[in-house]
Amino acid sequence: MHLSFDHLVHFSPDPIKAQKELNEYGINVVKGGIHEKWGTFNTLAYFNLSYIEWLGIRDIALAQTVTDNDLIQQLVNEHTPVGHFGRFAFRTDDMDLLIKELESKNVTVKGPVTGSRQTNDGERLQWKMCFIETDHDSLPLPFFIEWGETEEKRKPKLAALSSHQAGQLQLKNIYCAVHNLEESISKWTKLLDIQSAQSYKDSLLDARCQKLYVNGGNLIFCSGTQGVVHDTLKKVGERPFLVELDHALTPQQITVQGASFKFNK
């Protein structure tokens, strides 16, 4: 199953405010566009082909009517005045084959759903998405996306957007809070055919952690009874809580709208 990390979605109460705040920290966040049929809009920060999306609600009445897009339903259900990381997407270049592989593992797949948005320069971006039916009380499984253009065509367009004042930033790791480390690692590795490292104790997070290797951005699952992992589980449940970025000019850690970013040199 050939998959790459595509993007992390932050459920944002105000994507424009997040954009302004992160720009001050040297992260180049740009306006994305409007999803007309879902009642949402976004701002985006690119790190080559991987990116972070701040997804906000533009028309709550319309968003509440969406039935074919689990991400929008999750956004509506979890929308708060503070915000938090919600879910991430893996990229595929063959959605039909991916669905067949997932269904062969006896999982229920919803989709594909078509999506599009108009960029600021008038370009119409198009994609297909599918979802695995999952328990939202656990760490939501990734949704899957196939872009309307090849990676070779997308790379030059995204190169300029991937320039950040804070440095030649690269998305390295996404930390996720889970209740049971062993169960979560077993579930994700078997379902998605991805490899994991050995578990270890992270003294800064005061948690046991284990890495899943994903092209474009690794996932690190963490379980703990105190500290930021415990706080995340208590506030929003099993969700991503920290993004680690490499090649920054200055090491620092910041929190914006309930989500943390760690800059490494």
Side-chain angles (χ1 to χ4, degrees):
M1 194 178 296
H2 178 66
L3 295 168
S4 297
F5 180 86
D6 192 72
H7 67 281
L8 170 64
V9 183
H10 181 278
F11 294 159
S12 172
D14 189 339
I16 301 300
K17 187 176 180 181
Q19 175 190 19
K20 293 177 180 177
E21 189 169 349
L22 286 155
N23 284 347
E24 292 176 358
Y25 286 111
I27 298 180
N28 181 31
V29 181
V30 298
K31 289 183 179 179
I34 295 170
H35 310 112
E36 292 95 343
K37 69 176 183 177
W38 296 328
T40 56
F41 71 110
N42 60 17
T43 56
L44 310 163
Y46 285 94
F47 310 94
N48 300 310
L49 288 172
S50 303
Y51 68 98
I52 301 173
E53 172 185 17
W54 289 267
L55 182 64
I57 296 175
R58 182 171 174 266
D59 183 339
I60 184 62
L62 176 58
Q64 288 172 335
T65 67
V66 174
T67 59
D68 63 347
N69 187 325
D70 278 13
L71 179 66
I72 304 304
Q73 292 177 314
Q74 186 188 349
L75 170 66
V76 170
N77 290 336
E78 297 185 14
H79 195 62
T80 69
V82 177
H84 61 272
F85 289 134
R87 199 168 185 172
F88 32 75
F90 284 2
R91 186 171 62 254
T92 179
D93 58 5
D94 192 336
M95 180 71 76
D96 294 334
L97 176 61
L98 172 67
I99 291 174
K100 288 180 181 178
E101 291 177 335
L102 290 171
E103 289 178 338
S104 73
K105 299 186 179 187
N106 297 317
V107 299
T108 301
V109 179
K110 296 176 67 175
V113 178
T114 59
S116 68
R117 67 173 173 84
Q118 192 91 11
T119 66
N120 283 341
D121 58 8
E123 182 183 6
R124 171 66 60 175
L125 297 182
Q126 296 180 315
W127 62 87
K128 292 190 292 187
M129 314 160 67
C130 75
F131 302 86
I132 298 174
E133 287 196 355
T134 184
D135 178 2
H136 286 312
D137 289 335
S138 63
L139 181 66
L141 289 162
F143 62 97
F144 305 93
I145 189 165
E146 180 183 353
W147 291 95
E149 291 184 325
T150 64
E151 290 187 4
E152 289 69 29
K153 285 188 176 180
R154 295 178 67 230
K155 281 179 181 177
K157 297 179 182 179
L158 301 180
L161 299 176
S162 300
S163 176
H164 304 276
Q165 289 185 354
Q168 295 181 328
L169 300 178
Q170 179 181 345
L171 197 154
K172 182 182 182 183
N173 298 312
I174 296 172
Y175 290 77
C176 305
V178 297
H179 288 290
N180 189 306
L181 185 61
E182 291 79 10
E183 284 185 8
S184 297
I185 290 289
S186 176
K187 175 182 178 181
W188 282 59
T189 53
K190 290 176 181 177
L191 180 64
L192 302 172
D193 295 335
I194 50 182
Q195 300 299 312
S196 65
Q198 295 295 314
S199 64
Y200 63 94
K201 174 72 175 182
D202 189 312
S203 57
L204 291 177
L205 296 176
D206 200 7
R208 284 182 56 248
C209 300
Q210 194 164 350
K211 180 181 289 189
L212 294 168
Y213 294 103
V214 184
N215 178 46
N218 299 312
L219 308 178
I220 299 180
F221 288 3
C222 299
S223 179
T225 56
Q226 52 191 0
V228 64
V229 175
H230 174 263
D231 292 344
T232 300
L233 292 170
K234 188 175 180 180
K235 291 177 183 176
V236 295
E238 295 193 341
R239 294 292 182 272
F241 65 91
L242 171 67
V243 170
E244 198 169 18
L245 300 166
D246 272 0
H247 308 307
L249 297 175
T250 304
Q252 62 176 319
Q253 184 163 331
I254 63 172
T255 299
V256 176
Q257 293 186 0
S260 295
F261 302 83
K262 184 179 181 182
F263 296 74
N264 299 325
K265 272 200 167 185

